[in-house]
Amino acid sequence: MKKIEINILSFILMESLILLFFFKENILNIIIGSIIGLILIILLRNIKFNKVIKISLLIISIIIYLSSIYLVSDYIRENILKFYSEIIIIIILIILSIHLSIKGYHTFIKSLQLSSYIYIVLKIISIVLSIPNINIGNLNIKLLDELQININSLYIGLFITYLYLGIKYLTDFKLNIKNYVISIFNPIFIKILSLFILGKTLFYLYDYPYINILKRIKYLDFIERMEGIFSLFYLISFYFFLSFSLMLVIDISKNLFIKKKI
């Protein structure tokens, strides 16, 4: 069961990471960044979490948590709660993420397992219903975005390394290369699907192109605007990403600054 838990966790965290921070990046950069991340993870597979490493991981976790809070709140305000204050959304996100994070890894992963059933069902249905919206005329778009590689590929690799170091810190897992490839292919597939449906111009025009392709889903020609339901699996993954980063902050802080009773 533990292997399945890690697979689900890495799959959802990887999707959240790319969608929140790097979805507009060109595909080649995402691929190169993933390779860099894989190399770094392999090199660090036997890393010992000494005080310096823990403090570094703590600082990075805080930065990523705060950045993600802002990005997720913006996502919610733009796509779900358009008439609500962003401050209110941020406060609610902080409260919810704290509530799950302080429960510890066991409760976190069990909640993730239960939510993953909804996540997988909604994801599969949304992809199947999106496929008919593919525009053949968009098949001539340059998927590799002119083959330009920039420094963002390194950032992607470092962010991915952070994810897997965080998972290793909490679970002492061993990297599964097959699962890693599937996890990174998932957001790339979402980007390719979005490009084929929207075209390159609209893809870069919209803030959340992966939501805009859901807006095009119609069922039986009369049930429309189903994106609110289907986008729930994105919200689920973002919520667990936030809680994961905060759980690292809490766990590392306890380990560093709270002395154990003898």
Side-chain angles (χ1 to χ4, degrees):
M1 184 61 70
K2 186 175 180 180
K3 183 177 180 181
I4 296 176
E5 293 173 353
I6 298 300
N7 289 345
I8 294 173
L9 179 60
S10 59
F11 184 87
I12 289 181
L13 292 183
M14 183 73 78
E15 176 180 83
S16 303
L17 172 68
I18 300 299
L19 293 185
L20 287 175
F21 293 95
F22 300 107
F23 192 63
K24 292 294 185 76
E25 195 57 52
N26 69 67
I27 294 175
L28 185 59
N29 260 345
I30 296 176
I31 294 174
I32 297 298
S34 303
I35 295 173
I36 292 173
L38 177 60
I39 293 172
L40 290 174
I41 293 166
I42 292 175
L43 291 176
L44 297 172
R45 64 185 180 275
N46 295 320
I47 189 173
K48 302 297 182 182
F49 289 97
N50 56 38
K51 191 170 183 178
V52 174
I53 299 297
K54 289 178 182 178
I55 291 175
S56 300
L57 195 58
L58 173 62
I59 294 172
I60 295 171
S61 298
I62 293 172
I63 294 172
I64 289 181
Y65 176 73
L66 294 177
S67 302
S68 301
I69 279 285
Y70 170 76
L71 293 173
V72 175
S73 65
D74 185 70
Y75 165 85
I76 293 173
R77 188 172 60 83
E78 290 294 324
N79 298 289
I80 302 174
L81 302 175
K82 294 184 178 181
F83 303 106
Y84 284 76
S85 167
E86 190 164 8
I87 297 298
I88 294 176
I89 296 173
I90 288 175
I91 292 173
I92 293 174
L93 283 174
I94 291 174
I95 293 173
L96 290 176
S97 58
I98 289 176
H99 176 74
L100 181 58
S101 301
I102 61 177
K103 297 292 184 179
Y105 176 77
H106 179 74
T107 300
F108 172 86
I109 204 67
K110 291 304 177 184
S111 300
L112 180 64
Q113 280 183 314
L114 293 174
S115 300
S116 66
Y117 296 110
I118 300 174
Y119 172 91
I120 293 172
V121 170
L122 289 177
K123 190 175 187 68
I124 292 174
I125 293 175
S126 65
I127 290 174
V128 171
L129 293 180
S130 295
I131 290 176
N133 292 304
I134 290 178
N135 184 351
I136 300 300
N138 291 327
L139 294 179
N140 61 356
I141 59 179
K142 298 179 180 179
L143 290 182
L144 297 183
D145 300 318
E146 296 154 4
L147 300 177
Q148 294 179 354
I149 302 175
N150 56 47
I151 190 64
N152 285 342
S153 60
L154 176 60
Y155 294 143
I156 293 170
L158 292 176
F159 269 66
I160 290 173
T161 304
Y162 156 77
L163 280 186
Y164 279 83
L165 283 180
I167 296 174
K168 180 175 177 61
Y169 175 82
L170 292 173
T171 67
D172 197 30
F173 86 114
K174 294 183 179 179
L175 176 65
N176 185 314
I177 302 296
K178 179 181 177 180
N179 178 61
Y180 179 90
V181 172
I182 293 174
S183 296
I184 195 60
F185 175 77
N186 173 46
I188 292 177
F189 172 77
I190 295 172
K191 175 164 184 173
I192 293 174
L193 182 64
S194 301
L195 282 166
F196 279 175
I197 292 175
L198 299 174
K200 191 172 180 180
T201 301
L202 288 178
F203 177 89
Y204 289 103
L205 178 64
Y206 292 131
D207 291 330
Y208 305 98
Y210 48 90
I211 295 299
N212 284 88
I213 68 172
L214 298 178
K215 291 180 179 179
R216 301 191 175 204
I217 293 176
K218 293 195 299 184
Y219 184 65
L220 297 178
D221 293 326
F222 65 88
I223 301 178
E224 301 183 12
R225 299 199 59 80
M226 302 174 68
E227 71 274 7
I229 297 175
F230 290 131
S231 62
L232 180 61
F233 65 84
Y234 289 126
L235 188 57
I236 289 173
S237 65
F238 294 158
Y239 172 60
F240 281 104
F241 183 84
L242 284 174
S243 300
F244 172 80
S245 298
L246 184 57
M247 186 166 58
L248 275 176
V249 172
I250 293 172
D251 196 275
I252 296 173
S253 297
K254 286 181 178 179
N255 188 278
L256 287 173
F257 306 119
I258 299 179
K259 294 182 180 180
K260 296 180 179 180
K261 294 182 180 180
I262 299 176

